[in-house]
Amino acid sequence: MRIAYVIDGFYPFTIGGSEKRYWELGKRLAKKHEIYFITFKYWKNAELMEFSRDSSSTFFHVYGIHRFFSRYDPKGRRRISSAVEFSIKILPIVLREKFDIIDATLAPILHIPSLKIAQLAKRHRFAMIYTVHEVWKDIWKEYLKNPLVSMLAEFLERIALMMPDQIIVPSKFVKERCIQAGIPPEKIEIVPNGIDYKYIQHVRVENRHSEYDIVFAGRLVPYKRIDLLIKAIRFVKKEIPDVRVVIIGDGPLRKDLERLAKKLNVHSNTIFAGNIKYRNLIMKLKQSKIFVLPSTYEGFSIAVIEAMACGLPVITVSSPTNAAKEHIELSGAGYILNQDPKKLAKVIYSLLMDEKLRKNLSAKAIKYAKRFDWDILAERIEKIYTSFQI
């Protein structure tokens, strides 16, 4: 099969759950199928780029459309201009090439009509599949701050969800959100995001769980609520003056968060590591004691599973749009708290002081994470793709 992934971000140039999912699936499916990516152009050379396993074998082919600058505005919201440009520029490639399967992320939505137009226009009909990590629905109001624009975005999202032949979601939470938007349940398959479990176990570090007390990994955008963690550290510091926190990732809020850390006098306790190589990410997770994800919106959270595979207890927050709490409910390897920095600080302090409890939660975390190996999940995805072969 010739399989094309359509996404406006591309790993390793951009770091996110959607990008990592397609990268990992692409690597595995490329052993038997032709894999293409259609994305923004994150490099300076030719439009078509090839990524290789070594000098003699190709992973997949990558079409770069238009030189990329930024998907987000200074407030951490996606740029509408980038979404429009992406939706226009992908159309010629999809019309020109002969694909059997196109698997596209729902975000940023505006590219979906282009794919539908191409599907209807081509003689060689391809199956159109969406991987839906998030259904924002009512969240658009808070995100866009403009009632009319929010209504339009919610309408476009609902229409876009009706267009594919199949929808793949990473969690029960996202499936329920799709059903609420009017999608028939039989049209939706749950295939969770995954991790390279064997690789994570292979990474060795000295002084395990000794460098950092707390770790966060993810984009520095508003809904991740890293500010909640920084505020909690102020209270933890009163009991543990030398508490160490590492924040891994980058994004439009980085400078604001650095200013907040300085304002609350926890800047000497807080390390902003930025985007780092995957091996270094795993090493920092293994050098930490607790993983904290204060995000109010998650469709799954690969970062939580990676942290669990490294043996970390996880603390996340109670929010109706945070699917990461499913991992805590199913594994018992952490805590789900209200969005209260004092309560978060209290639980962090208790965990840091109780090594026996951390070890107990660590064992539960590792056991739970094993089920999310990418090799297993790639086989499930391949079966879905194969069912659409003409």
Side-chain angles (χ1 to χ4, degrees):
M1 288 186 292
R2 301 186 84 208
I3 302 165
Y5 292 118
V6 179
I7 179 172
D8 64 345
F10 183 63
Y11 185 88
F13 297 101
T14 60
I15 310 296
S18 299
E19 294 93 326
K20 193 67 163 60
R21 178 185 177 104
Y22 281 160
W23 173 269
E24 296 292 348
L25 291 175
K27 285 198 299 184
R28 287 158 177 81
L29 295 179
K31 296 173 183 177
K32 295 169 59 177
H33 308 283
E34 288 187 65
I35 303 298
Y36 292 79
F37 279 79
I38 303 173
T39 184
F40 271 123
K41 189 177 179 184
Y42 294 87
W43 52 91
K44 296 181 180 179
N45 300 322
E47 174 192 56
L48 182 63
M49 191 175 189
E50 292 188 351
F51 279 73
S52 300
R53 183 182 295 104
D54 50 47
S55 59
S56 61
S57 60
T58 301
F59 267 163
F60 32 68
H61 316 277
V62 185
Y63 281 103
I65 56 161
H66 188 70
R67 183 78 174 121
F68 174 78
F69 293 99
S70 176
R71 286 188 295 176
Y72 298 97
D73 65 18
K75 294 183 179 179
R77 297 177 298 199
R78 279 184 180 264
R79 295 181 188 273
I80 294 177
S81 58
S82 294
V84 170
E85 191 150 33
F86 186 68
S87 67
I88 294 171
K89 295 292 179 65
I90 64 173
L91 188 56
I93 297 173
V94 178
L95 287 172
R96 181 176 73 239
E97 297 293 337
K98 186 178 179 181
F99 300 118
D100 299 301
I101 301 287
I102 287 186
D103 187 335
T105 55
L106 180 62
I109 296 177
L110 296 181
H111 65 298
I112 299 302
S114 291
L115 293 176
K116 193 64 180 180
I117 289 169
Q119 187 189 43
L120 295 174
K122 287 176 72 70
R123 291 183 179 179
H124 176 80
R125 185 176 175 83
F126 58 83
M128 194 160 83
I129 297 173
Y130 293 173
T131 297
V132 179
H133 290 267
E134 303 166 343
V135 178
W136 278 35
K137 213 170 169 236
D138 47 322
I139 297 174
W140 286 111
K141 296 176 184 177
E142 180 182 348
Y143 185 72
L144 295 173
K145 308 297 185 184
N146 184 309
L148 291 177
V149 177
S150 300
M151 287 176 60
L152 177 60
E154 187 175 344
F155 173 75
L156 291 174
E157 180 182 62
R158 189 165 64 250
I159 295 300
L161 284 168
M162 303 291 181
M163 293 182 179
D165 302 302
Q166 178 79 55
I167 287 177
I168 299 173
V169 298
S171 64
K172 290 181 181 179
F173 164 73
V174 180
K175 180 175 182 177
E176 290 169 2
R177 298 278 287 184
C178 287
I179 293 171
Q180 291 168 8
I183 308 303
E186 61 273 13
K187 197 176 180 180
I188 308 168
E189 288 282 348
I190 299 176
V191 181
N193 289 322
I195 57 172
D196 192 334
Y197 183 80
K198 300 182 189 69
Y199 176 81
I200 290 173
Q201 298 309 306
H202 176 74
V203 174
R204 295 283 181 262
V205 296
E206 295 181 5
N207 303 319
R208 189 177 174 88
H209 302 318
S210 64
E211 293 294 320
Y212 311 102
D213 296 299
I214 304 149
V215 58
F216 164 89
R219 288 195 183 106
L220 308 189
V221 291
Y223 65 85
K224 295 289 185 179
R225 289 303 311 273
I226 304 99
D227 63 299
L228 189 64
L229 172 58
I230 293 173
K231 290 173 184 175
I233 297 309
R234 177 179 56 169
F235 298 108
V236 176
K237 185 176 180 178
K238 293 178 181 178
E239 304 295 333
I240 310 175
D242 59 347
V243 63
R244 297 197 73 197
V245 186
V246 58
I247 295 173
I248 302 169
D250 215 334
L253 294 189
R254 177 165 177 169
K255 289 184 179 178
D256 291 338
L257 294 170
E258 289 174 336
R259 281 193 289 266
L260 177 63
K262 191 169 185 179
K263 178 182 178 182
L264 299 180
N265 195 31
V266 294
H267 57 287
S268 61
N269 305 84
T270 309
I271 299 166
F272 287 86
N275 289 332
I276 58 179
K277 292 182 178 180
Y278 187 66
R279 182 180 179 84
N280 291 338
L281 166 65
I282 300 304
M283 290 181 70
K284 287 191 182 300
L285 288 172
K286 290 189 174 186
Q287 291 169 335
S288 304
K289 297 175 182 176
I290 305 169
F291 184 84
V292 177
L293 180 74
S295 177
T296 57
Y297 198 98
E298 295 290 330
F300 179 82
S301 183
I302 292 177
V304 164
I305 304 300
E306 289 170 334
M308 286 184 165
C310 293
L312 297 189
V314 175
I315 302 173
T316 192
V317 300
S318 178
S319 167
T321 52
N322 177 19
K325 64 186 180 183
E326 289 182 17
H327 301 311
I328 309 303
E329 293 166 347
L330 293 171
S331 68
Y335 297 90
I336 304 167
L337 308 177
N338 294 330
Q339 298 169 47
D340 179 353
K342 288 187 177 180
K343 179 65 175 177
L344 176 57
K346 184 178 180 180
V347 174
I348 288 173
Y349 175 74
S350 297
L351 267 177
L352 291 177
M353 292 295 101
D354 194 336
E355 186 177 356
K356 184 177 179 181
L357 175 59
R358 291 204 312 273
K359 286 183 176 179
N360 178 266
L361 296 178
S362 175
K364 292 180 179 180
I366 292 171
K367 181 180 179 181
Y368 179 75
K370 287 180 180 178
R371 70 179 73 177
F372 296 98
D373 190 272
W374 278 121
D375 289 340
I376 298 170
L377 301 176
E379 290 180 4
R380 291 172 59 180
I381 289 288
E382 185 180 30
K383 287 180 181 179
I384 294 173
Y385 292 167
T386 303
S387 70
F388 284 96
Q389 276 193 290
I390 299 173

